[in-house]
């Protein structure tokens, strides 16, 4: 079973093709800020709504959030409506990311390892996916030249 920041999946013993529905990973910081239409820390109601939506559709849901957005000595860092978040989201669905860690790296690794869908509007500009695309394309029998042309065309 996979394990990322507190999330232990139950589905990874089944091949991705055999799953009826993929796991959904939620970038909680991003969703909370988008819901509040403002800067961090955002509003937990957005995360709750996203969790309930995907969970009601029958998906296993994993929420990725930095620890200090859930509990902190300084309340300015905690998401609004955190008590409702604690009440409505099972702790087993929450991956608490250390404050200084790259939360993007956690959910990207999780999605790649689990074949999960990522819910975010973060453009992930800080990450270079060329090597990942190259490895995937080579596995599919494409040449390095074909991949480079595709990447250049997409820019």
């Amino acid at each position: 079973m996979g394990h990322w920041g507190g999330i232990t999946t139950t589905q990874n013993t089944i091949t991705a093709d055999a799953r009826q529905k993929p796991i959904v990973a939620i970038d909680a910081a991003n969703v909370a800020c988008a819901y509040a239409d403002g800067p961090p820390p955002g509003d937990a109601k957005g995360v709750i709504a996203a969790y309930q939506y995907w969970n009601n559709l029958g998906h296993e849901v994993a929420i990725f959030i930095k620890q200090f957005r859930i509990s902190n000595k300084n309340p300015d860092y905690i998401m609004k409506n955190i008590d409702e978040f604690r009440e409505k989201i099972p702790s087993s669905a929450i991956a608490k990311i250390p404050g200084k860690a790259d939360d993007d790296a956690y959910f990207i690794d999780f999605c790649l390892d689990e074949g999960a869908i990522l819910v975010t509007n973060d453009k992930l500009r800080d990450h270079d996916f060329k090597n990942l695309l190259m490895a995937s394309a080579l596995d599919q029998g494409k040449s390095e030249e074909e991949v480079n042309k595709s990447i250049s065309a997409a820019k």
Side-chain angles (χ1 to χ4, degrees):
M1 290 208 289
H3 186 77
W4 297 264
I7 296 289
T8 303
T9 64
T10 56
Q11 290 189 0
N12 68 340
T13 55
I14 304 170
T15 65
D17 293 337
R19 291 184 191 158
Q20 290 194 4
K21 296 189 179 202
I23 299 171
V24 173
I26 296 174
D27 173 2
N30 186 275
V31 170
C33 290
Y35 181 85
D37 196 23
D43 192 329
K45 285 188 175 191
V47 181
I48 295 164
Y51 172 83
Q52 290 174 338
Y53 174 81
W54 291 103
N55 188 57
N56 288 342
L57 289 175
H59 293 268
E60 185 175 352
V61 181
I63 296 172
F64 289 80
I65 186 75
K66 289 198 173 186
Q67 173 63 44
F68 67 83
R69 296 288 179 217
I70 298 172
S71 95
N72 195 302
K73 291 178 185 174
N74 184 342
D76 293 338
Y77 289 103
I78 299 173
M79 290 185 295
K80 294 176 184 144
N81 297 301
I82 195 63
D83 290 333
E84 189 175 344
F85 176 86
R86 289 186 185 117
E87 190 179 296
K88 295 188 175 178
I89 307 294
S91 61
S92 62
I94 303 169
K96 297 175 187 171
I97 311 303
K100 293 183 180 182
D102 178 6
D103 57 337
D104 291 2
Y106 275 78
F107 57 67
I108 289 168
D109 285 348
F110 177 83
C111 288
L112 292 172
D113 289 349
E114 294 294 320
I117 296 170
L118 176 61
V119 175
T120 185
N121 71 356
D122 185 334
K123 298 196 182 346
L124 304 171
R125 290 184 196 103
D126 299 339
H127 303 277
D128 180 5
F129 293 101
K130 182 178 179 183
N131 290 336
L132 176 64
L133 292 170
M134 187 68 71
S136 176
L138 293 174
D139 283 347
Q140 295 174 26
K142 294 182 179 163
S143 71
E144 189 170 333
E145 183 180 344
E146 288 176 292
V147 176
N148 286 328
K149 282 181 183 177
S150 295
I151 292 170
S152 295
K155 290 181 181 179

